[in-house]
């Protein structure tokens, strides 16, 4: 009978089972579930009736066996069966197979298959092959040997192992079970196998099974091993022998608490003895001190009693004697002093004089010795005091007038300040002109480059090259055109109508420059325009309007325009992906803005090392399996001249099966990853040098996207910013480094292709696009690099506001010493006028809109030409125009009045530097001393006015401003007197108060606070001018260098063209190559002569279709009802009478039929373009003939 599949507790075993018979009896200590044997226990139950069991007992008693031995043996047999069940269950858990029942397990293990599987479960390499056969053979011993080898390998002591015959011949199966138990404990201790369960008392067996097992044990005479102590025995056998020192250390470690406790008790006893001795000594000293104190008190008491008796009489006598002696001594001293008083006074005077002279001389010597230190200390004290006062000025939002008076002199405008600003303005004008000239020169060189490339590679004619090279770089207009344009914008014209139009144009461009809503709406409308020329002209006009952001003011205004455009563009998209997929109208302005001279220098410093490293690589880094496969075929066909045996059109999986393709891809990928890592490191390490403009635009774009899509993940929003920073800004400089001055060396097609591969992977990293199939192997690297690039983008956007970085605010124009000037052509002015007039309803607001008023003043726009620019003029911008005092112009006039009044207030405060507040100063009485101080200040300012006049006469900008009737503020005429100046200030204050800019309630403190703000920003303004000056100097140097390079390149192109012309002339005069008289080509030439046809200039060759098909040049011929056997009669003639153009003629000649001909032509440049695009076939004759592109080029180069 098999064992029960469900283990049960001995207490819950149903009645009649083997284990639960004695459940009511006492249990054995330490063995749960086992019942202690006693004389009063009932006999073991049987599944049969009780009489049978009683008969068995009687029979056993008759044989001389006591009931105690019978019970003990039955229990031993049951426990042995449980141990076998434990081993069976553990083996099943290890090998995941079901074994025979417990009573038949010995036969199941006898062939060693189960034990070999057990060894292979833990050490697969150990068991090479398990021999299995239904019949027991000696070869089964190999399986048992595998188990012995495994036991030895895991370190099972030999005392636990069994012999081969113990299992194979079943001589000692209990020892086998014992060895399995020991092995289970060893493997469980090592943590590589489950622990064996204790099933004693949990398995049910029939009496027959228990009796049979007991009979088997009795017959074999084998003593059962102690299964319960197998774990302890195993630990004892495997434990190393300990030395006496180790035993002593172990004993100490085990009995440390007792030793510490004993030591603590000993220390307490010794401490108690010492404390008792100290207490006794202290008590003895205290008693002695108490006795001495009582004796001293008794002695003092006796002395006091004796003194009380003798003191009164002694005191009286002493007092009388002291009084008499004192009076006598004082009288003698008085008489002596009266006698020597004159001598004492004289001596004291001499002594005081000597000491005073000595002290003064010592101080003079000290000062002379430490003069430098004293001066330094005084200077430090003055600076400290001045610094404290200036700190109070900076810290206080509304400082009092006395504090402001101390530092108001810092606002003096010197001639050098004006010279610096004028120098910046002139350099800006030069930079704008140089940028325009370089752009035109680059366009001219691009045209020449294209034509020369076609001349060299595609064999085109020189006519177009000569035509382009003969064109001038700048179109010089006729004198009549220049005169006509100058008359419209003449600053010297006295015509009222011309003056009104000039002022209106000045105001129109000022509004476009300072009010971003107009250009933003215009760019928004421009999205639907179809003419690319008009779009390009608008973008050029806008960049000209902002002077290509060459100084802080124009850069500030351009950034405000881009910020406004970003808000409109982002607000119109429905999904974030639409913004990336689309082409926002303002993006070209952003790219033009961030590609100035400064930005080009940045891109060059960041990308040049990595780009040059890629250009030095001689390999083709293509990673697309299909393209690599086709490239290998192309190389094979170009080198051999025969069609490749490989199939050209394959899938990606089929391409990856090609060994050469896989090797090429692996090589290219390893090289590509190195280049990408270098390029990415250069970009992320350039954060501190990145221009402010692109960082601010990225910040505003991120903010607008967050507002529009608040639920979008931040990393997705950063990906859009990454598209702007990398794809829009840096990627073009990587793909075309020669166009961005990143590389001065020419870029070969191979290098350009490799740079494109690097750019693709960088674009995936920056924008988070889905990895293409050919980049799948780099997905792990791309993921880690993309995470690092997101952190870089967060740092890119950490920039301050433009007002803080550029130090520009709404009052900047009012405080300028010169008016803003732009350099623009008349054609661009008319185009902008026409565009605004055409879209006035979309761009302008209501009827009171200033721009609408300007357009009404200008009237109908004049005509213009889209492809011309014309001569440039300088246009001073002003917000005022004839007949308008509203809108932006009125606001500007108020700002000008505020600034002019502030300058007059500064002069008043310097002339009258006293008073509690500004109102008291303005209303106070003017004294002659105040007038004299005012005249002195006017005299100090006279040289400044003189220098302003001289600079105005030499500067066209200031001269034009003066001729416009609005001179700079600092150049205005000085007031006649202080009283007149104060009256004018009070009138201006009244106007400003009516506008709400100042108020008498706070004593005009707002005006005083504005003066304080100017004091604070004066130094920043000077620094800003110096920075602009230095930046413009560097820009001009770069532009001049680039201009020289372009001029030299133009000269080299011209020399090359002249050389080509000379070679062409020499080639035309050379003798033609002679033709063999009896060759096929000679017969073809004679046929042409018979037909009165001229032989083509560059040759003519005739073949039949069968020959070209065999050579692989012709792939297929698809003509209805034209059999392949007639291909021999189909002639194909290839001729060329013009460079780079090839005529192909097909003719079919059959007996009795007229000759049928078809003509077609193809250009070599078209064939090269198809080869570059990896297109291997081209259809000709309206799809009737399919030709192999690579072999056709090879055939042409060989024949022509």
């Amino acid at each position: 009978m098999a064992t029960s599949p469900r283990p049960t507790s001995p207490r819950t075993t149903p009645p009649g089972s083997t284990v639960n018979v004695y459940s009511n009896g006492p249990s054995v200590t330490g063995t749960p579930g086992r019942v202690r044997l006693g004389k009063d226990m009932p006999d073991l139950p049987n599944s049969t009736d009780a009489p049978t069991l009683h008969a068995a007992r009687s029979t056993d008693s008759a044989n001389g066996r006591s009931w105690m031995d019978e019970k003990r043996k039955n229990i031993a047999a049951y426990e042995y069966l449980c141990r076998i069940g434990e081993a069976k269950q553990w083996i099943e858990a290890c090998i995941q197979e079901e074994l025979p029942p417990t009573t038949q397990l010995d036969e199941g293990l006898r062939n060693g298959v189960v034990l070999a599987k057990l060894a292979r479960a833990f050490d697969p390499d150990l068991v090479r092959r398990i021999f299995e056969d239904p019949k027991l053979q000696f070869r089964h011993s190999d399986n048992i040997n595998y188990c012995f080898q495994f036991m030895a390998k895991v370190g099972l002591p030999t005392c636990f192992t069994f012999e081969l015959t113990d299992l194979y011949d079943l001589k000692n199966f209990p020892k086998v079970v014992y060895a399995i138990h020991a092995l289970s404990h060893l493997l469980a201790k090592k943590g590589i196998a489950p622990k064996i369960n204790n099933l004693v008392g949990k398995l049910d067996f029939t009496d027959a099974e228990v009796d049979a097992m007991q009979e088997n044990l009795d017959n074999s005479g084998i003593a059962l091993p102690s299964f319960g102590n197998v774990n302890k025995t195993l630990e004892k056998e495997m434990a190393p022998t300990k030395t006496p020192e180790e035993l002593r250390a172990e004993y100490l470690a085990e009995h440390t608490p007792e030793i510490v406790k004993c030591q603590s008790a000993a220390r307490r006893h010794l401490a108690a003895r010492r404390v008792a001795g100290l207490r006794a000594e202290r008590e003895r000293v205290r008693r002695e001190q108490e006795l001495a104190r009582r004796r001293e008190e008794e002695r003092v008491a006796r002395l006091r009693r004796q003194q009380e008796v003798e003191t009164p009489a002694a005191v009286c006598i002493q007092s009388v004697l002291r009084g008499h002696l004192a009076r006598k001594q004082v009288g003698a001293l008085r008489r002596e002093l009266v006698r020597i008083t004159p001598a004492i006074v004289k001596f004291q005077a001499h002594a005081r004089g000597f000491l005073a002279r000595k002290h003064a001389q010592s101080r003079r010597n000290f000062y002379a010795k430490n003069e430098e230190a004293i001066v330094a200390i005084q200077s430090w004290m003055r600076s400290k005091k001045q610094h404290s006062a200036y700190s109070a000025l900076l810290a206080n939002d509304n400082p009092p007038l006395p504090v402001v008076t101390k530092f108001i002199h810092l606002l003096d405008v010197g001639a050098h300040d004006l010279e610096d600003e004028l120098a910046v303005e002139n350099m800006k004008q030069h930079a704008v002109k140089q940028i325009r000239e370089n752009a035109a020169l680059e366009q001219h060189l691009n045209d020449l480059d294209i034509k020369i490339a076609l001349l060299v590679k595609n064999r085109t004619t020189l006519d177009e090259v000569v035509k382009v090279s003969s064109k001038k770089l700048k179109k010089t207009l006729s004198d009549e055109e220049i005169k006509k344009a100058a008359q419209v914008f003449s600053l010297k014209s006295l015509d009222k109508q011309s003056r009104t139009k000039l002022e209106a144009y000045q105001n129109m461009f000022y509004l476009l420059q300072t009010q971003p809503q107009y250009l933003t709406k215009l760019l928004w409308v421009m999205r639907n325009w179809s003419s690319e020329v008009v779009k390009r002209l608008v973008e050029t006009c806008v960049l000209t309007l902002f002077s290509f952001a060459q100084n802080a003011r124009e850069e500030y205004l351009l950034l405000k325009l881009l910020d406004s455009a970003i808000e409109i563009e982002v607000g119109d998209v429905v999904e974030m992906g639409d913004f990336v997929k689309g082409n926002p109208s303002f993006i070209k302005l952003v790219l033009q803005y961030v590609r100035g001279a400064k930005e080009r220098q940045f891109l060059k410093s960041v990308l040049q090392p990595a780009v040059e490293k890629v250009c030095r690589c001689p390999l083709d880094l293509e990673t697309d399996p299909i393209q690599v496969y086709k490239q290998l075929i192309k190389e094979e066909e170009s080198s051999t001249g025969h069609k490749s045996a490989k199939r050209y059109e394959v899938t990606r999986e089929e391409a990856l099966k090609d060994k050469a393709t896989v090797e090429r891809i692996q090589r290219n990928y390893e090289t590509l990853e190195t280049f990408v890592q270098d390029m990415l490191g250069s970009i992320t390490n350039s954060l501190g040098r990145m221009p402010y403009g692109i960082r601010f635009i990225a910040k505003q774009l991120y903010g607008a996207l967050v507002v529009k899509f608040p639920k979008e993940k931040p990393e997705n929003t950063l990906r859009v910013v990454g598209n702007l920073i990398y794809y829009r800004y840096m990627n073009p400089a990587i793909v075309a480094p020669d166009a961005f001055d990143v590389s001065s060396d020419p870029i070969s097609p191979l290098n350009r292709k490799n740079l494109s591969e690097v750019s693709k992977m960088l674009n995936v990293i920056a924008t988070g696009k889905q990895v293409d199939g050919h980049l799948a192997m780099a997905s792990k690297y791309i993921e880690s690099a993309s995470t690092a690039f997101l952190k870089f983008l967060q740092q890119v956007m950490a920039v301050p506001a433009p007002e803080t970085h550029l130090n520009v605010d709404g009052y900047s124009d009012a405080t300028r010493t010169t008016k803003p000037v732009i350099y623009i052509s008349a054609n661009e002015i008319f185009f902008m006028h026409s565009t605004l007039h055409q879209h006035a309803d979309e761009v302008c607001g209501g009827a009171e809109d200033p721009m609408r008023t300007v357009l009404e003043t200008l009237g109908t726009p004049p005509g213009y030409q889209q492809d011309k620019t014309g001569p440039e003029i300088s246009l001073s911008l002003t917000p005022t125009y004839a007949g308008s005092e509203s809108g932006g112009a009125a606001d500007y006039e108020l700002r000008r009045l505020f600034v002019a009044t502030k300058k007059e207030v500064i002069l008043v405060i310097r002339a009258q530097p006293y008073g509690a507040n500004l109102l008291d100063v303005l209303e106070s009485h003017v004294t002659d001393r105040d007038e004299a101080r005012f005249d002195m200040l006017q005299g100090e300012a006279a040289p400044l006015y003189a220098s302003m006049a001289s600079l105005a006469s030499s500067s066209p900008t200031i001269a034009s401003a003066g001729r416009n009737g609005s001179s700079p503020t600092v150049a205005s005429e000085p007031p006649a007197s202080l009283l007149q100046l104060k009256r004018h200030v009070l009138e201006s204050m009244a106007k400003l108060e009516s506008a709400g800019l100042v108020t008498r309630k706070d004593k005009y403190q707002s005006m005083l606070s504005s003066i304080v703000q100017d004091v604070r920003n004066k130094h920043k303004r000077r620094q800003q001018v110096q920075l602009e000056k230095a930046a413009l100097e560097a820009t001009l140097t770069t532009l001049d260098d680039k201009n020289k390079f372009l001029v030299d390149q133009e000269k080299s192109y011209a020399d090359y063209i002249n050389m080509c012309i000379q070679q062409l002339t020499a080639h035309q005069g050379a003798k033609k190559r002679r033709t063999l008289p009896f060759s096929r080509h000679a017969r073809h030439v004679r046929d042409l002569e018979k037909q009165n046809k001229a032989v083509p200039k560059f040759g003519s060759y005739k073949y039949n279709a069968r020959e070209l098909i065999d050579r692989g040049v012709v792939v297929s011929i698809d003509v209805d009802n034209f059999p392949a056997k007639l291909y021999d009669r189909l002639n194909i003639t290839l001729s060329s009478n013009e460079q780079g153009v090839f005529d192909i003629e097909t003719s079919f000649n059959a007996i009795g039929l007229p000759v049928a001909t078809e003509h077609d032509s193809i250009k070599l440049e078209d064939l090269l373009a198809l080869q570059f695009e990896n297109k291997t076939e081209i259809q000709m004759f309206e799809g009737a003939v399919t030709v192999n592109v690579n072999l056709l080029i090879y055939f042409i180069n060989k024949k022509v």
Side-chain angles (χ1 to χ4, degrees), residues 22 160 198 255 396 414 425 427 443 535 580 604 729 773 820 829 838 849 897 1008 1044 1076 1100 1111 1197:
Y22 308 108
F160 293 97
N198 185 4
H255 299 83
N396 194 352
E425 192 70 26
M427 285 191 291
Q443 184 63 35
K535 285 185 179 181
V580 179
K604 181 177 181 180
Y729 178 44
I829 294 176
Q838 181 181 357
D849 190 277
L897 178 61
L1008 208 59
K1044 293 177 182 178
L1076 296 177
S1100 177
R1111 293 189 180 189
N1197 291 333

Side-chain angles (χ1 to χ4, degrees), residues 412-422 817 1018 1022 1025:
D412 292 343
V413 178
H416 62 280
D417 295 331
L418 185 60
E419 290 175 358
D420 290 340
E421 292 192 6
L422 290 176
T817 57
K1018 183 65 177 180
R1022 287 176 178 170
V1025 171

